[in-house]
Amino acid sequence: MADEVKLKKIVDQIVGLPTLPTVVAHITSMMQNPKTSATDIGTIISRDQALSAKVLKLVNSAFYGFPRRIKTISHAIVVLGFGTVRNVVLSASVFDAFKGTTDGEGFDRKGFWVHSLACGVAAKIISKRLGIKNIEESFIAGILHDIGKIILDQFVKEDFQKIIQIVNEKKCLIYEAEKEVLNFTHEDIGTWLADKWNLPIELVAVIANHHNPLNVKEGGGLAMIVHVADILVRAIELGNGGDKKIPLVIKECWDQSELSLLTLDKVFSEIDEEMEKASVFLALLN
Amino acid sequence: MNSNNEDIKKYSSNEIFEYLENINQIFLIYDYNIIIEKSVEILHTLVNFNNYAFFSMHSETGEYFIKKTNVKNLKEIFFIEEKEILEWVIQENKIIAMSIDENIDKEDCLCIPLIRGPYKSGILQLRIEDDWHLVSRHTIFLINMLINNLVLSLENKRMYKDMEVQAIESEKNKNFINNILESIPNGIITLDTDGIVTQINRNACVMFNLQDSSIIGENYRNCFAEKFKKELINIIYETKKQGFIIDKRIEIKRDEELIPLGINSSLFYDAKGNLLGMLIVMRDMTASKELERLRKIDQMKTEFVSNVSHELRTPLTSIKAYVDSLLNIVPMEDFKQRREFLNIIEEESDVLLRLIEDILNISKIESDKIVLDLKILFLKEIVMQSLQSIKYDKNVHNVIIDISSDVEIPADQERTRQVFTNLLSNAVKYSPEGGEIKISAKEENNKVYIKVQDQGLGMTETQVEKVFDKFYRADTSHNINGTGLGMALVKEILDKHEVSIYLESEFSKGTVVNIVWPQV
């Protein structure tokens, strides 16, 4: 259980928290309305020209693989679907929010984003194999699952460096070191941020419980997938989550993912392949 | 344009209810074409379009081909040749709108993938009139519902078709296996673990005099005659105990005839190793038995040839030696010696003659050439004649004839004399010194019961069984000469007369030959 008092004290210190463009919240609320059309959402996004350009760049990338050129946001929605475009907007905004932040001492920011992106890619691949329709949501959930770590690195730098030091000395999980130093974890601070950003409830659940998805009372499937994806990309050392140790995979989550040790090689090479295509996201950080 | 645009279609709950009812009807359709037609009809209530085309993917080549459409010239208004677009639609598995002509900014072709799990039914393309950008998520949701039902119906149809194919295949397989079962020259019965007959082939039906295989489904205890049922209980017990039986011999009765069967059995299991039942294979051994008999005869003939050669050579060697002596050694004047030698030569010649006669007779009777010349004869006379023709020492053997002179039998004189000659000569041959040989007869119910008793070596039960076999000699260890044809000849001749003969014998005590001779 998180130490609420300590958490409150820390978040009170946070000044200048990166905000998501209002368009993200706007789209999320528009998506609740079934009458929304592609043109409606296209119009909203197009108002933010910088964002529109990034979204178009992403949707035209090899990652989405549409064989023709997508010229407008509404065309993107028609071709890729509402959900995909919303998630593209969300990920573009998140990457944008933390853009240009220099590497913190002891914490490898670049490695962190590669890990997050890889986790998104792996979650997407697992979901696709499971036949889940909304694979884009798994992708964004994977990207955002460790967002709390960035907040810690950016806003409680001293404590976070201490955490990284403990991780390096004790060869423990970052999660365990966070508990030792802060009495709460990146899951807790990530959840706080997700609330503040008004992220959809499914994503909040993943950020809050990706280390123990069994805590999610309803609809824990996404958290389970991200939990497994997180461990898979750690196993093949894609990026850096801040610690070198690989946490134990929870049996129920593994079973749920329907992966087999025999075919895992195939999944790994799929992750590698997709990561190459997803590098366009990392370019947003520069 | 905004989200409150009046152009956007709104649905009342009644409309939605009606719509749901409509799309559920697709499930009730079994015809492939009508499923598509009905779906297109429902789509018209959601989307404004004139033309449609349903593309199916060839399961082997992966090429798309048109399955159903309402237009003639497809190429101009639908995606057919841009395979990568079609593949993308299938891969992404979502409805997308695109412009046929990339240079025109109007998404005029709606591509709907029809996919469920690994099964790709194809792509439905609609040539739409409205601007797809303005279509609400609500409408897209409703289309998706329809498409889900359409895909499920197509899949049901496909599975139904697969099942039909499988049913035909399995029927074919079944026929093939049945043909094999029926063609195997053995009887086959399978039982399940409860003893229910699960299979019986025609040969098995014939073996048990069953009209058809209608006993399938019944417990074996209720299906077979008592004799076989008892055997079957044993077979099942043994098979369960050791897992199989190899070449167990049993006999069953069919049409008052005993049929020898060779039984093989084994247990059989399913792929997971669960016991399913028992297979029993029955081979009619009659033919094998006949083969065995012929093989035995062949072996006997070989023995006979060596016997006969020996038998023929002994008197011949003796004759030659005495003739030699007469020609070269015995002086012409020594008449006494010469006479003695000539007598021996005559005796040995007689032996030779009898041997050759025996051989000729047996082959004559065997080939059915013999014709009986039946007359009413006095039994005693025939026996007396027979006794005279065999040479025996009255000081060594005591022969008693206890037959009243008036006993008559219908018989062929020559052949009957042969019978008694053989019987008496056997009795003498096998009797020890001082042994008594008694021939008696009594009349009763128009039958003459004749007994030839000796106090000879006697025979074991097995020897008695074989005594009438041609070339069989019960005892070859006592230096007693013979061809092994005597008793066979007796039996053949008596069979021709329809007279029965049987032996009672006790080893080392003696033998009684019983003959029952009908007088009519």
Side-chain angles (χ1 to χ4, degrees):
Chain A
M1 203 58 203
D3 186 332
E4 298 287 344
V5 183
K6 190 119 190 225
L7 181 61
K8 177 102 180 26
K9 217 174 128 194
I10 296 232
V11 296
D12 282 348
Q13 292 171 19
I14 296 176
V15 186
L17 180 77
T19 52
L20 286 189
T22 48
V23 64
V24 176
H26 206 150
I27 295 173
T28 307
S29 80
M30 277 177 83
M31 295 268 288
Q32 315 287 324
N33 183 356
K35 292 177 198 159
T36 309
S37 71
T39 306
D40 298 334
I41 291 187
T43 310
I44 299 292
I45 297 172
S46 304
R47 283 185 195 147
D48 185 334
Q49 295 214 355
L51 182 62
S52 300
K54 282 180 193 116
V55 169
L56 283 176
K57 192 177 167 190
L58 289 174
V59 296
N60 277 305
S61 73
F63 190 69
Y64 292 101
F66 183 62
R68 285 183 177 185
R69 187 163 169 72
I70 298 167
K71 291 174 199 162
T72 63
I73 300 289
S74 54
H75 188 195
I77 296 166
V78 162
V79 168
L80 299 176
F82 286 87
T84 305
V85 171
R86 186 201 68 181
N87 286 326
V88 171
V89 169
L90 184 51
S91 37
S93 304
V94 170
F95 279 85
D96 204 41
F98 295 99
K99 158 185 181 176
T101 46
T102 49
D103 276 8
E105 269 174 62
F107 187 65
D108 173 9
R109 277 280 182 102
K110 181 106 200 292
F112 168 81
W113 284 116
V114 171
H115 167 74
S116 298
L117 188 60
C119 185
V121 163
K124 184 174 165 177
I125 288 167
I126 294 170
S127 305
K128 198 167 183 181
R129 284 174 156 257
L130 287 172
I132 291 170
K133 203 136 197 186
N134 199 353
I135 54 173
E136 291 304 328
E137 188 166 46
S138 307
F139 177 58
I140 190 77
I143 291 180
L144 293 177
H145 78 285
D146 267 350
I147 198 76
K149 287 182 188 168
I150 286 287
I151 301 296
L152 293 177
D153 183 44
Q154 201 152 332
F155 298 98
V156 280
K157 217 170 183 73
E158 266 177 45
D159 284 341
F160 198 60
Q161 276 174 356
K162 213 187 284 169
I163 288 165
I164 297 296
Q165 204 182 334
I166 292 173
V167 166
N168 288 336
E169 279 165 13
K170 291 193 176 171
K171 308 281 176 225
C172 64
L173 291 167
I174 197 163
Y175 177 86
E176 291 157 348
E178 284 169 347
K179 276 210 159 151
E180 196 180 319
V181 174
L182 301 169
N183 218 13
F184 62 85
T185 71
H186 65 271
E187 279 187 341
D188 302 311
I189 193 94
T191 309
W192 168 78
L193 178 70
D195 277 340
K196 225 168 168 63
W197 276 354
N198 271 325
L199 292 184
I201 188 162
E202 298 81 16
L203 294 181
V204 180
V206 174
I207 294 168
N209 297 293
H210 60 272
H211 286 285
N212 196 353
L214 302 182
N215 286 344
V216 185
K217 287 195 181 79
E218 252 176 71
L222 191 55
M224 284 183 163
I225 288 169
V226 171
H227 172 80
V228 173
D230 184 20
I231 287 164
L232 286 189
V233 297
R234 279 163 183 262
I236 52 174
E237 295 180 347
L238 267 176
N240 182 0
D243 48 12
K244 285 271 181 324
K245 210 173 150 188
I246 301 175
L248 285 177
V249 64
I250 294 167
K251 190 184 175 298
E252 285 87 343
C253 300
W254 178 260
D255 293 345
Q256 203 74 31
S257 73
E258 292 179 18
L259 291 173
S260 147
L261 290 177
L262 299 170
T263 52
L264 213 47
D265 274 358
K266 227 172 146 190
V267 176
F268 285 149
S269 64
E270 244 177 278
I271 292 174
D272 277 338
E273 215 172 282
E274 285 294 297
M275 265 309 271
E276 245 171 72
K277 294 180 190 164
S279 60
V280 63
F281 284 90
L282 295 172
L284 293 176
L285 288 165
N286 300 320
Chain B
M1 281 177 256
N2 56 57
S3 56
N4 296 321
N5 196 317
E6 289 304 313
D7 293 344
I8 293 171
K9 200 169 178 184
K10 289 172 188 154
Y11 302 96
S12 67
S13 49
N14 260 351
E15 275 177 316
I16 290 183
F17 185 76
E18 202 180 312
Y19 177 76
L20 289 178
E21 213 173 60
N22 261 337
I23 64 174
N24 276 336
Q25 279 176 10
I26 296 174
F27 281 118
L28 304 175
I29 307 170
Y30 280 94
D31 186 285
Y32 205 91
N33 284 321
I34 299 175
I35 291 174
I36 305 280
E37 271 169 22
K38 177 75 183 170
S39 303
V40 166
E41 185 192 312
I42 298 170
L43 271 171
H44 270 297
T45 65
L46 300 173
V47 191
N48 204 355
F49 65 96
N50 288 327
N51 299 323
Y52 73 92
F54 172 51
F55 295 86
S56 195
M57 195 177 74
H58 196 282
S59 58
E60 277 161 24
T61 62
E63 295 292 329
Y64 291 91
F65 63 95
I66 187 76
K67 188 110 183 181
K68 189 159 179 60
T69 183
N70 63 343
V71 286
K72 277 182 186 148
N73 193 355
L74 291 163
K75 284 190 182 176
E76 280 173 26
I77 53 173
F78 290 117
F79 285 103
I80 306 174
E81 282 163 354
E82 273 187 86
K83 207 181 161 196
E84 54 177 2
I85 295 259
L86 297 178
E87 273 166 3
W88 192 82
V89 170
I90 291 287
Q91 192 198 323
E92 291 296 307
N93 191 13
K94 56 188 161 206
I95 301 171
I96 65 158
M98 277 177 289
S99 34
I100 302 286
D101 183 345
E102 214 182 333
N103 299 315
I104 296 169
D105 264 347
K106 183 173 184 278
E107 274 70 44
D108 47 7
C109 183
L110 193 65
C111 297
I112 304 168
L114 306 176
I115 300 177
R116 197 180 129 80
Y119 303 110
K120 301 176 175 74
S121 302
I123 295 177
L124 183 62
Q125 291 188 26
L126 308 179
R127 187 64 190 257
I128 50 176
E129 300 293 315
D130 298 333
D131 185 351
W132 192 249
H133 292 225
L134 295 174
V135 171
S136 71
R137 293 179 61 227
H138 199 153
T139 305
I140 296 173
F141 175 77
L142 291 181
I143 294 174
N144 269 323
M145 271 174 79
L146 165 65
I147 296 307
N148 282 342
N149 279 17
L150 166 61
V151 169
L152 274 174
S153 298
L154 291 179
E155 201 189 324
N156 279 348
K157 170 79 191 155
R158 184 188 55 73
M159 290 199 301
Y160 185 71
K161 216 171 159 183
D162 282 358
M163 268 161 57
E164 275 181 334
V165 171
Q166 269 173 19
I168 291 168
E169 275 298 306
S170 77
E171 186 63 23
K172 256 194 210 162
N173 275 342
K174 210 174 131 197
N175 283 342
F176 180 69
I177 289 168
N178 268 344
N179 271 338
I180 291 179
L181 269 183
E182 295 302 331
S183 311
I184 289 177
N186 295 336
I188 290 175
I189 295 176
T190 59
L191 303 175
D192 71 7
T193 47
D194 297 327
I196 306 293
V197 178
T198 49
Q199 186 67 260
I200 180 166
N201 73 349
R202 201 168 34 217
N203 269 317
C205 290
V206 172
M207 281 175 186
F208 301 110
N209 255 349
L210 299 168
Q211 292 299 314
D212 49 35
S213 57
S214 58
I215 64 161
I216 289 175
E218 284 184 43
N219 193 297
Y220 76 90
R221 288 167 192 272
N222 309 326
C223 305
F224 299 106
E226 203 59 31
K227 187 167 159 61
F228 182 64
K229 199 173 90 184
K230 272 184 192 156
E231 297 282 8
L232 207 48
I233 291 171
N234 272 331
I235 290 166
I236 290 168
Y237 174 75
E238 277 179 52
T239 311
K240 276 186 179 162
K241 205 167 121 195
Q242 57 184 27
F244 58 87
I245 289 178
I246 294 175
D247 265 343
K248 181 188 170 77
R249 301 292 173 99
I250 64 164
E251 271 181 345
I252 56 163
K253 212 171 186 184
R254 187 184 65 199
D255 303 335
E256 297 306 306
E257 191 186 345
L258 280 179
I259 296 175
L261 291 184
I263 305 281
N264 286 285
S265 73
S266 62
L267 299 173
F268 57 93
Y269 303 86
D270 67 8
K272 285 178 187 160
N274 300 318
L275 181 64
L276 287 184
M278 188 181 293
L279 170 72
I280 301 167
V281 180
M282 293 154 296
R283 195 150 58 95
D284 186 338
M285 303 296 282
T286 315
S288 316
K289 244 190 163 173
E290 177 63 19
L291 272 179
E292 205 178 314
R293 199 180 66 84
L294 289 175
R295 213 173 24 246
K296 231 182 192 167
I297 286 174
D298 195 52
Q299 191 192 338
M300 280 176 168
K301 274 189 175 158
T302 313
E303 270 172 33
F304 170 72
V305 169
S306 72
N307 273 348
V308 164
S309 321
H310 178 75
E311 296 296 328
L312 291 176
R313 185 188 269 154
T314 315
L316 260 179
T317 314
S318 169
I319 290 169
K320 188 168 162 43
Y322 284 104
V323 170
D324 232 17
S325 288
L326 285 175
L327 284 175
N328 302 319
I329 302 167
V330 182
M332 286 293 266
E333 316 75 50
D334 192 347
F335 287 109
K336 197 185 165 206
Q337 183 82 340
R338 282 184 168 264
R339 185 153 193 89
E340 198 183 319
F341 280 17
L342 283 169
N343 271 336
I344 294 174
I345 290 168
E346 198 201 4
E347 271 172 34
E348 295 295 337
S349 300
D350 281 345
V351 170
L352 257 183
L353 205 64
R354 228 179 20 249
L355 263 173
I356 290 165
E357 245 169 48
D358 273 1
I359 297 169
L360 288 177
N361 275 332
I362 202 94
S363 62
K364 235 191 228 168
I365 293 173
E366 243 187 359
S367 57
D368 251 355
K369 274 178 194 156
I370 199 167
V371 181
L372 295 180
D373 177 17
L374 288 182
K375 281 175 187 157
I376 304 295
L377 305 169
F378 288 113
L379 176 65
K380 193 173 182 177
E381 264 178 36
I382 300 170
V383 173
M384 293 301 287
Q385 284 167 9
S386 302
L387 192 59
Q388 274 163 15
S389 73
I390 63 161
K391 284 173 182 151
Y392 78 99
D393 192 336
K394 284 180 184 154
N395 297 320
V396 176
H397 295 113
N398 184 21
V399 179
I400 302 164
I401 297 172
D402 178 17
I403 302 170
S404 87
S405 312
D406 57 352
V407 177
E408 289 173 334
I409 51 167
D412 178 299
Q413 186 171 3
E414 194 48 40
R415 301 295 166 199
T416 311
R417 201 169 57 82
Q418 239 171 341
V419 167
F420 286 103
T421 307
N422 281 333
L423 289 178
L424 289 170
S425 100
N426 272 347
V428 169
K429 258 198 278 189
Y430 292 103
S431 286
E433 277 186 32
E436 184 186 276
I437 294 150
K438 187 177 173 189
I439 310 154
S440 60
K442 62 174 180 189
E443 283 174 294
E444 208 176 289
N445 298 331
N446 291 330
K447 281 174 188 158
V448 182
Y449 292 84
I450 307 164
K451 276 181 199 284
V452 181
Q453 280 171 281
D454 67 44
Q455 295 171 328
L457 298 169
M459 285 180 286
T460 62
E461 220 173 294
T462 3
Q463 285 171 331
V464 170
E465 271 173 33
K466 291 180 175 173
V467 88
F468 296 120
D469 287 352
K470 279 188 276 290
F471 315 118
Y472 177 78
R473 294 181 64 201
D475 191 318
T476 50
S477 62
H478 285 77
N479 276 332
I480 295 166
N481 294 338
T483 55
L485 284 174
M487 288 306 280
L489 200 60
V490 166
K491 174 91 169 120
E492 290 272 9
I493 292 168
L494 291 181
D495 277 353
K496 284 269 171 198
H497 282 87
E498 290 172 15
V499 167
S500 65
I501 175 169
Y502 64 95
L503 265 66
E504 294 168 287
S505 188
E506 207 174 329
F507 191 66
S508 75
K509 288 225 167 128
T511 305
V512 181
V513 177
N514 295 285
I515 295 169
V516 183
W517 204 299
Q519 287 175 308
V520 264

